Amino acid sequence: MNPVSIRLLSQQLVAPQFDDPAKVVEHMGAVQAQEYRMMQWAVEMRTRKPSAKAFKQAFDSGRIIRLHLMRGTWQLVSAEDYWMMIGLCAHKAIAVTKGWMSSNKISIPDEELMRIREILAQTAADEGSATKEDFVHALASKGLQIDNHRLSYHIRMAEMSGTLCSGDLLPMKATYALTADKVKPSPNMDRDEALMIFTRKYFQSRQPTTLEDFVWWSGLNVSDCRRGIELLSDRIHLEKWKGREFYLTDNCRTRGFRKGKYLMLPPYDEYLIGYKSRDIVLPPEYRHKAHNNSGIFQPIIAQDGIICGNWAPFKEEPQAEFFIGNHDNSIQKEWSRYKKFQGK
């Protein structure tokens, strides 16, 4: 087993299978979207022909949704999976968020939560795509003053309740829509069926991976993760590599990897954040180059799947700093792909 090449294939980072960005998100189950300006590249670099315009069309039409969900952090999910994800993950994510609120000495009574949520929902319905500033003005018109930190928690809780989701894509700031206006209602899904689909999406898009990786990424309880694997039955199996046990699906891709490819990955990319243990692709002595202990992730460069450097996404010319090897101008081809994606 070559875990690096299989991960590149499973994550659609080499030999991608999709043209439609919404299909990429559906394949991945969820895509980390912490960095608003770079989430488009995180999805589109996994398509055959990356295009910022194609992403915006899918996002504005509601086929791709951004919201706080797993682990209480920003995610992209497909509209097809939205209600399934809310049903599976929201309860645990809300508990995590309440823990953060408590550590910040913020307590929001249920009466306040529901009153503010009603105002946020009405504002989103009126505006179509409401900004945080629109929420502030709407609250002020009703004599309510809420500091920015507290308002952020109100918005987050409204997202995880299925009330608010992403509105239209703006260049630099998030907008919010009423979920009822953006995502079609879906019949309630049996929890075991939802858990099986959720588990399959994780392993098909990130394999080979461990139970611990799945628990970390999903934010679910260990018992739920074990149950999801059990439900996949003979569609998943274990393989050992260097004394560790990894799960693979029986239809996992093994062909399509070619040496010599560079990837310019955005911060918070699933290639790293999709796993608890990242040493397979990131030498431990260079971990600090990719992320810190506070959960801040940097833009990274991979050569043949191994993290070897950092890059600067918002410069006009390619800027790279390698901490492994001597690479000269070898990222130029990937830089050109990135600029073409931007339409430049």
Side-chain angles (χ1 to χ4, degrees), residues 264 301 309-312 317-322 328 331:
M264 294 164 57
I301 300 170
N310 299 106
W311 66 293
E317 299 296 329
Q319 292 187 15
E321 181 179 329
F322 292 98
D328 301 322
I331 67 161

Side-chain angles (χ1 to χ4, degrees), residues 73-88:
T73 61
W74 283 111
Q75 313 286 327
L76 296 175
V77 302
S78 73
E80 298 295 324
D81 292 334
Y82 174 85
W83 290 112
M84 178 188 76
M85 293 290 195
I86 289 284
L88 271 179

Side-chain angles (χ1 to χ4, degrees), residues 258-315:
R258 295 183 298 277
K259 287 188 176 181
K261 184 171 179 61
Y262 284 82
L263 293 166
M264 294 164 57
L265 296 153
Y268 303 97
D269 192 80
E270 290 292 333
Y271 192 59
L272 280 188
I273 210 166
Y275 311 89
K276 182 177 182 180
S277 179
R278 299 161 185 140
D279 59 293
I280 289 175
V281 301
L282 175 63
E285 63 268 30
Y286 297 111
R287 186 183 68 173
H288 64 287
K289 295 286 189 178
H291 63 90
N292 64 20
N293 292 331
S294 300
I296 306 300
F297 282 70
Q298 302 300 325
I300 49 174
I301 300 170
Q303 181 192 20
D304 295 335
I306 301 300
I307 308 304
C308 61
N310 299 106
W311 66 293
F314 305 117
K315 302 293 184 181

Side-chain angles (χ1 to χ4, degrees), residues 136-148:
V136 170
H137 293 150
L139 291 166
S141 71
K142 297 184 181 298
L144 297 170
Q145 303 290 334
I146 298 178
D147 69 71
N148 186 61

Side-chain angles (χ1 to χ4, degrees), residues 83-104:
W83 290 112
M84 178 188 76
M85 293 290 195
I86 289 284
L88 271 179
C89 304
H91 180 76
K92 188 73 182 292
I94 289 169
V96 168
T97 302
K98 285 183 175 179
W100 292 343
M101 289 166 56
S102 178
S103 67
N104 288 313

Side-chain angles (χ1 to χ4, degrees), residues 65-339:
I65 301 294
R66 182 178 187 249
L67 76 162
H68 281 94
L69 192 57
M70 291 146 50
R71 309 183 306 277
T73 61
W74 283 111
Q75 313 286 327
L76 296 175
V77 302
S78 73
E80 298 295 324
D81 292 334
Y82 174 85
W83 290 112
M84 178 188 76
M85 293 290 195
I86 289 284
L88 271 179
C89 304
H91 180 76
K92 188 73 182 292
I94 289 169
V96 168
T97 302
K98 285 183 175 179
W100 292 343
M101 289 166 56
S102 178
S103 67
N104 288 313
K105 296 182 171 53
I106 294 176
S107 175
I108 300 177
D110 287 345
E111 182 181 358
E112 177 190 332
L113 189 72
M114 299 312 297
R115 184 185 180 195
I116 299 302
R117 184 174 299 171
E118 184 178 338
I119 296 170
L120 299 182
Q122 187 61 56
T123 305
D126 292 344
E127 297 290 335
S129 285
T131 64
K132 203 171 185 180
E133 290 76 16
D134 291 327
F135 290 148
V136 170
H137 293 150
L139 291 166
S141 71
K142 297 184 181 298
L144 297 170
Q145 303 290 334
I146 298 178
D147 69 71
N148 186 61
H149 200 186
R150 193 178 189 88
L151 177 57
S152 292
Y153 279 122
H154 272 291
I155 295 172
R156 190 173 302 194
M157 297 292 274
E159 288 176 299
M160 292 184 291
S161 74
T163 304
L164 295 181
C165 66
S166 52
D168 290 347
L169 186 71
L170 298 184
M172 297 293 290
K173 63 172 66 175
T175 68
Y176 302 89
L178 189 66
T179 302
D181 293 340
K182 196 84 171 180
V183 186
K184 292 179 181 178
S186 175
N188 290 334
M189 185 181 291
D190 174 78
R191 182 171 176 82
D192 268 2
E193 181 183 359
L195 191 55
M196 181 186 68
I197 294 171
F198 181 75
T199 306
R200 175 177 56 77
K201 285 177 181 288
Y202 175 74
F203 286 103
Q204 77 180 4
S205 60
R206 293 163 180 83
Q207 62 189 327
T209 185
T210 67
L211 171 64
E212 291 75 18
D213 291 330
F214 183 36
V215 172
W216 146 254
W217 178 82
S218 68
L220 298 177
N221 297 327
V222 176
S223 57
D224 280 334
C225 293
R226 289 189 187 278
R227 176 62 177 161
I229 292 170
E230 178 186 326
L231 289 166
L232 287 178
S233 185
D234 58 0
R235 285 168 286 182
I236 196 168
H237 64 275
L238 279 171
E239 287 192 22
K240 282 194 174 182
W241 183 78
K242 294 188 176 180
R244 294 155 73 179
E245 289 190 330
F246 292 87
Y247 284 98
L248 294 100
T249 63
D250 287 350
N251 62 350
C252 94
R253 300 169 70 200
T254 57
R255 295 185 177 184
F257 175 75
R258 295 183 298 277
K259 287 188 176 181
K261 184 171 179 61
Y262 284 82
L263 293 166
M264 294 164 57
L265 296 153
Y268 303 97
D269 192 80
E270 290 292 333
Y271 192 59
L272 280 188
I273 210 166
Y275 311 89
K276 182 177 182 180
S277 179
R278 299 161 185 140
D279 59 293
I280 289 175
V281 301
L282 175 63
E285 63 268 30
Y286 297 111
R287 186 183 68 173
H288 64 287
K289 295 286 189 178
H291 63 90
N292 64 20
N293 292 331
S294 300
I296 306 300
F297 282 70
Q298 302 300 325
I300 49 174
I301 300 170
Q303 181 192 20
D304 295 335
I306 301 300
I307 308 304
C308 61
N310 299 106
W311 66 293
F314 305 117
K315 302 293 184 181
E316 289 303 314
E317 299 296 329
Q319 292 187 15
E321 181 179 329
F322 292 98
F323 43 82
I324 299 177
N326 182 14
H327 301 266
D328 301 322
N329 296 320
S330 42
I331 67 161
Q332 187 59 54
K333 184 176 180 180
E334 181 70 355
W335 177 260
S336 296
R337 190 170 79 111
Y338 173 63
K339 299 308 281 187

